[in-house]
Amino acid sequence: MTAVRRGAGFLWEGVDVLEYKAFDEAYRDVTRQVLFGAAQGLPWELRYFEVAAGGHTTLERHAHPHAVVVVRGRGRVLVHPEIRTVTPHDLVHVPPMTWHQFQATRDEPLGFLCLVGIERDRPIRPTEEDLGALRADPKVAEFVRL
Ligand code: MN
């Protein structure tokens, strides 16, 4: 399939709405839809993530980068050491081995497109030592959700 019609509410015809991470409990209320990827023989995946109001993605880092375009709602993003408010059309680049987390506001979902390579390393969660270092910055300490 080369073209898909977008449905209502950020759903795409023929695209399954998946659990964000089936084996990781360190997130809250996030769905994942793979819009392009291995099914089309591509070397990268374009995913649509939606974080429900009040939810958040996993606090993590990894060697592969993320290229993100916010398309729905409002939220905040940690790309360590920076914390930004994001709204639709904002671009977020997560460089390699950089701690990151996306959070929706309490009253609106946060939807974003995220481009990654198909071949990529597994995300790393923070150790207690990592958390101690992250929380040394009060802004980051206030932000992080585990
Ligand atoms: Mn990540």
Side-chain angles (χ1 to χ4, degrees):
M1 183 184 295
T2 54
V4 289
R5 188 165 54 82
R6 206 190 85 192
F10 293 85
L11 297 168
W12 286 263
E13 198 173 290
V15 176
D16 294 330
V17 179
L18 305 169
E19 207 176 339
Y20 166 52
K21 288 178 179 173
F23 305 104
D24 184 345
E25 295 299 312
Y27 67 91
R28 211 183 117 211
D29 299 333
V30 185
T31 59
R32 173 172 58 94
Q33 297 175 69
V34 180
L35 307 183
F36 293 104
Q40 291 83 21
L42 297 166
W44 37 260
E45 273 183 7
L46 182 66
R47 299 93 49 89
Y48 174 71
F49 291 96
E50 196 165 285
V51 184
H56 60 85
T57 62
T58 308
L59 175 62
E60 63 180 31
R61 66 177 176 175
H62 35 68
H64 62 276
H66 288 314
V68 168
V69 185
V70 177
V71 294
R72 180 181 196 184
R74 285 186 314 126
R76 291 195 303 163
V77 179
L78 166 70
V79 179
H80 193 257
E82 195 186 350
I83 295 167
R84 285 173 47 197
T85 297
V86 289
T87 55
H89 308 162
D90 285 349
L91 304 179
V92 181
H93 172 226
V94 179
M97 296 311 287
T98 305
W99 295 112
H100 56 283
Q101 184 170 53
F102 292 76
Q103 298 177 2
T105 55
R106 280 197 177 77
D107 54 349
E108 263 187 290
L110 175 68
F112 56 90
L113 299 168
C114 178
L115 185 67
V116 288
I118 293 255
E119 298 286 334
R120 58 185 186 271
D121 59 320
R122 287 184 69 82
I124 300 164
R125 301 273 315 285
T127 62
E128 283 304 315
E129 195 180 348
D130 292 329
L131 281 175
L134 284 163
R135 286 174 169 148
D137 180 341
K139 293 192 315 295
V140 176
E142 176 276 326
F143 181 89
V144 293
R145 302 278 180 271
L146 298 174

